Amino acid sequence: MVMHVPAEARGDERGALLAFIEEQRGGIRRALLGLTEEQARTRPSASELSLGGLLKHVAEVEQSWVARARQEPPAVQRDESNWHETFQLVGDETVASQLAYWREVAAETEKLVRSAPSLDDTFPLPPDPWFPPEGRVSLRWLCLHLIRETARHAGHADIIRESLDGKTAFELVAQEQGTSWG
């Protein structure tokens, strides 16, 4: 964790969960600070991951889980034929367009979490082979899953960014805040 997440107001579990999701989103956004489109598409390791691809992936995954919670289909259907595109900027997709999309998705996530009668409300898991048959999860589970998913990729983003130009997460926080690190 690079940023401090303030303690929630007493009894504000929803606010705490949303704050931790947002803190992890910030790690990915900061990893893109000051990069060109070309740099954001660069894959500096043996992995197929790029910062632009990670950005697209986390936005798409978050949107798909919010859609599932609403019992709607995800905006983008992924299967074996197009799964690789979830980690790549394709066509006219840009970092700016993906950041704008993610802001919309984040607003929808907050709206869902804030408006639900209870974080104990459940929704069905998709019929994918890696989920239990007829499994259900709560909105609380959804928030925790988004924290885990986004944090995992924020760590990837830290490594990719440092591989590109040597900047660490701490330096990027300072850059974002207009201060100096070290």
Side-chain angles (χ1 to χ4, degrees):
M1 173 179 91
V2 174
M3 300 294 291
H4 173 72
V5 178
E8 73 276 11
R10 185 179 173 102
D12 184 16
E13 181 183 11
R14 294 168 200 247
L17 292 168
L18 290 166
F20 274 93
I21 295 169
E22 180 55 29
E23 188 262 342
Q24 294 303 319
R25 286 185 196 120
I28 293 173
R29 286 191 309 265
R30 279 187 298 278
L32 289 151
L33 278 176
L35 295 181
T36 65
E37 284 292 324
E38 181 181 348
Q39 288 171 312
R41 292 171 186 263
T42 300
R43 299 181 317 227
S45 71
S47 168
E48 291 291 315
L49 296 177
S50 70
L51 289 172
L54 281 174
L55 168 63
K56 178 179 175 179
H57 175 72
V58 293
E60 203 172 279
V61 166
E62 185 171 335
Q63 189 284 326
S64 71
W65 277 107
V66 169
R68 286 181 186 109
R70 291 180 171 154
Q71 299 188 41
E72 301 169 356
V76 178
Q77 295 291 329
R78 294 286 178 203
D79 59 30
E80 293 169 13
S81 69
N82 66 359
W83 177 249
H84 64 283
E85 290 181 2
T86 189
F87 287 103
Q88 299 173 358
L89 297 179
V90 296
D92 62 352
E93 294 174 337
T94 64
V95 169
S97 70
Q98 291 300 304
L99 286 169
Y101 176 65
W102 202 15
R103 278 190 298 275
E104 292 172 15
V105 169
E108 287 301 310
T109 301
E110 179 149 355
K111 182 177 172 185
L112 171 71
V113 171
R114 294 265 186 216
S115 68
S118 171
L119 290 175
D120 294 325
D121 290 353
T122 65
F123 60 93
L125 288 168
D128 295 321
W130 45 87
F131 292 124
E134 301 179 32
R136 296 184 70 82
V137 293
S138 68
L139 289 177
R140 182 179 294 100
W141 180 96
L142 167 69
C143 291
L144 293 168
H145 178 71
L146 290 176
I147 293 166
R148 176 183 67 177
E149 175 78 11
T150 310
R152 178 173 187 245
H153 293 309
H156 294 142
D158 286 344
I159 292 167
I160 294 169
R161 178 59 188 259
E162 193 168 353
S163 296
L164 287 172
D165 66 3
K167 286 196 176 176
T168 67
F170 292 106
E171 290 172 287
L172 293 167
V173 167
Q175 181 179 335
E176 180 183 54
Q177 295 176 347
T179 61
S180 61
W181 163 251

